[in-house]
Amino acid sequence: LHAQQSPLAGAWKVTYPAGMRIENDVATPIMATGSLTVQPAGDSLIATLTTDRAPDMPARPPLRLAAKSGSAEATFIGNSKATINVNGAEHEAAVVSTWVLRAQGDSLSGTVARKTDSREAGPQEARPVTGVRKKG
């Protein structure tokens, strides 16, 4: 049974773009770190991303991601909310995140792309995600 378990299963320390800052029409990714825990569930993989607390960012609730089990690569989908700030005016938007993750031994790589239902915040192109397997 263990041989059939996905190489993505386990706990990972990840670095990823948590959002975008746009100033003077220049988009800059806001990078974050966190813990990603991936567990098999039937024919799926369920992951929970817990973002590390950063002094310049508000606390984020854990993000649940789901993917079909497969090989060493899986496409996870997650739904969340984001606060969009346009010239000081804030509103909440629904966000769909698509994470394409690959495990190779104790290394994790991939991308995350996001789409919102906000006219002011268009889709974000896929940006790199990296990680290492947590020991113990």
Side-chain angles (χ1 to χ4, degrees):
L1 181 66
H2 183 69
Q4 295 175 355
Q5 188 175 36
S6 169
L8 288 162
W12 302 88
K13 178 71 171 177
V14 294
T15 300
Y16 64 97
M20 294 296 286
R21 179 172 286 120
I22 301 173
E23 293 181 48
N24 301 321
D25 293 327
V26 177
T28 306
I30 300 167
M31 299 304 291
T33 58
S35 296
L36 180 72
T37 305
V38 181
Q39 298 177 324
D43 67 347
S44 300
L45 294 172
I46 304 300
T48 302
L49 174 65
T50 304
T51 302
D52 294 339
R53 184 83 170 122
D56 57 340
M57 289 176 50
R60 293 171 174 248
L63 175 63
R64 182 184 183 275
L65 301 165
K68 284 289 183 198
S69 284
S71 60
E73 179 174 300
T75 300
F76 290 85
I77 304 296
N79 295 294
S80 61
K81 298 278 184 195
T83 300
I84 309 294
N85 183 325
V86 179
N87 300 321
E90 291 187 349
H91 68 276
E92 196 170 82
V95 179
V96 176
S97 302
T98 303
W99 299 69
V100 179
L101 301 176
R102 289 172 293 288
Q104 186 168 1
D106 289 338
S107 294
L108 185 74
S109 62
T111 60
V112 59
R114 294 185 177 92
K115 292 182 183 174
T116 72
D117 64 356
S118 170
R119 287 191 311 266
E120 291 88 358
Q124 293 179 16
E125 65 187 55
R127 300 213 178 254
V129 174
T130 59
V132 293
R133 190 178 301 277
K134 291 183 173 185
K135 301 294 182 187

